[in-house]
Amino acid sequence: MPLRMNSTPTLSGWTMSQNILVINSGSSSVKFSLFDMTHQTETASGLAERLGSDAAALTLRWADGEYRQALHDSDYATVLTQIIAVLTEQQLLHHLPKVIGHRVVHGGEVFSDPVIVTDEVLASIRQCIALAPLHNPANLAGIEALATLYPDIPQVAVFDTAFHQSLAPKAFLYAVPYKLYEQQGVRRYGFHGVSHQYVAAEAATRLGISAQHGIISAHLGNGCSACAVANGQSMDTTMGMTPLEGLVMGTRSGDVDPGLHQFLYQQKGWDVETVTNMLNKESGMLGLSGLSNDMRTLEAAANEGVERAQLALAVFCFRLARHIGGLATALTRLDALVFTGGIGENSRFIRATVIENLAIFGFRLDNELNARNGDMLGVISTGPGPKVVVIETKEELMIARAALALI
Ligand code: AMP
């Protein structure tokens, strides 16, 4: 049943609440979550996807219901108005949100913390477009549309890169001419910061090592990165200037020899755009397996004996273990390895294989705990060595908390 478009509710007709809306606007999708911060719970979440195509649709899920409708107009203002209209019609939103939190991919060297959106902040996010040409314009469009629709609701920007601003130059510089860093900002920034910060803090609390700790977190979803955290600060991470560097991911290659560009140009006549597209969209698990970017599908295929799926899994796990080994050099102690993200939270096979590849660190996996994704604390290891923990990431809740804390 398609909804009628509501006119935009205004603050005068509504009362403020502890509802916080979290928005993650991409180039062809808008993800959203509504939180009741009085109880720190998620009231509803949803996705407007395939924007700009005939298949554009809005899906909303809440505790005991689901709603789906086609979207005929895909501009951000219409989609965001519709999201608030649907939340209202489904009786999930009774008051306008107190604040809207936005996930913003790239904050460059400008942002090391969440900020309330002002004209100056918008200008700085705009300046970072060159560093994230696909993501920042979409993030900006979402913020600007909501600022126009609801000028009285404060908006907060939370950056994927911010947590990694604590990296020292020795960790963030590439060994290319220094002026490229000074003039173009060519350096490693890192991403998934909200997730790494949350799961590391959560692991430290659960394990009772809040004051002093060394933790490595592995965020393994469709995008994958790992991070070394010392006493709550990011020391090093696997993604770089863009999210392409580092681990093998669903469709992204992770590290390759930079000489590959020239080789493919000479051998196949591929220009930079073709190679970049191949590395971002046709590589990783999809490229290696020739089958899928989805870990569940690949594990099932590997179990049935499909060799290329087995090979892709082996590369994924070895590369990850190799990077975890490298990240350990940024720490002076190692208390825990944390797995998170769709793969990290659910795949006992990946966790077991990575731990097997990390024998040198003395992790001792408890197979029974690993099979059920951890005990009450999420621990899947045994013995006196460093712990291995599975922690569900809560990026949206973290954005909601950061937004609330700022107003
Ligand atoms: P995310 O981007 O965090 O939603 O993670 C998506 C990835 O998690 C996909 O590759 C899924 O196949 C993978 N995933 C989700 N559940 C499982 C599972 N039970 N076993 C293996 N992989 C899973």
Side-chain angles (χ1 to χ4, degrees), residues 37-344:
M37 296 309 280
T38 313
H39 304 101
Q40 299 268 316
T41 51
E42 189 181 68
T43 312
S45 66
L47 175 67
E49 59 186 331
R50 301 195 195 92
L51 301 179
S53 79
D54 291 344
L58 171 63
T59 313
L60 173 68
R61 287 196 183 85
W62 62 98
D64 48 11
E66 190 174 324
Y67 174 90
R68 192 176 161 80
Q69 70 164 95
L71 287 170
H72 302 297
D73 210 342
S74 289
D75 69 89
Y76 285 102
T78 311
V79 170
L80 291 162
T81 307
Q82 193 66 356
I83 287 170
I84 293 192
V86 171
L87 287 167
T88 308
E89 297 233 359
Q90 297 298 328
Q91 306 282 313
L92 297 163
L93 184 62
H94 303 286
H95 313 284
L96 274 182
K98 189 180 177 98
V99 51
I100 299 173
H102 291 267
R103 180 178 193 159
V104 179
V105 167
H106 220 304
E109 287 190 327
V110 186
F111 299 105
S112 48
D113 286 299
V115 286
I116 292 184
V117 174
T118 60
D119 287 346
E120 205 185 358
V121 165
L122 285 176
S124 297
I125 298 175
R126 217 167 278 125
Q127 273 173 8
C128 297
I129 285 179
L131 293 166
L134 296 179
H135 295 102
N136 272 32
N139 302 153
L140 268 170
I143 297 174
E144 285 172 333
L146 280 163
T148 307
L149 291 166
Y150 301 103
D152 295 330
I153 303 181
Q155 302 198 67
V156 167
V158 180
F159 299 88
D160 255 7
T161 49
F163 180 54
H164 305 297
Q165 279 299 294
S166 48
L167 260 62
K170 68 177 180 184
F172 75 64
L173 283 173
Y174 292 113
V176 296
Y178 192 72
K179 63 174 186 279
L180 289 176
Y181 165 57
E182 291 177 304
Q183 293 168 7
Q184 266 78 41
V186 172
R187 53 159 284 181
R188 309 181 63 249
Y189 291 94
F191 299 86
H192 288 145
V194 177
S195 178
H196 289 303
Q197 185 172 16
Y198 169 72
V199 296
E202 183 68 21
T205 305
R206 290 187 196 182
L207 300 176
I209 47 170
S210 294
Q212 298 285 314
H213 56 252
I215 292 172
I216 295 177
S217 58
H219 177 111
L220 311 175
N222 208 15
C224 301
S225 72
C227 179
V229 180
N231 312 330
Q233 292 218 309
S234 174
M235 307 302 286
D236 195 8
T237 188
T238 56
M239 283 179 169
M241 180 161 145
T242 74
L244 189 53
E245 189 179 332
L247 307 178
V248 175
M249 313 182 209
T251 62
R252 292 186 210 135
S253 61
D255 296 339
V256 291
D257 185 335
L260 184 63
H261 284 76
Q262 193 200 5
F263 180 82
L264 291 175
Y265 172 67
Q266 285 172 341
Q267 295 292 314
K268 295 176 82 81
W270 288 2
D271 60 13
V272 171
E273 206 175 316
T274 308
V275 177
T276 305
N277 196 51
M278 178 273 289
L279 294 175
N280 275 292
K281 302 202 170 136
E282 297 163 13
S283 298
M285 299 304 281
L286 174 65
L288 276 172
S289 69
L291 190 66
S292 171
N293 64 327
D294 189 277
M295 194 57 85
R296 269 169 300 198
T297 309
L298 292 173
E299 283 190 25
N303 281 333
E304 283 162 19
V306 179
E307 276 182 28
R308 287 265 297 282
Q310 292 168 346
L311 189 64
L313 291 171
V315 176
F316 181 92
C317 293
F318 182 71
R319 175 82 61 87
L320 173 55
R322 184 170 175 255
H323 267 283
I324 289 170
L327 287 170
T329 59
L331 301 173
T332 54
R333 55 188 276 174
L334 182 58
D335 299 286
L337 170 63
V338 184
F339 285 97
T340 192
I343 299 167

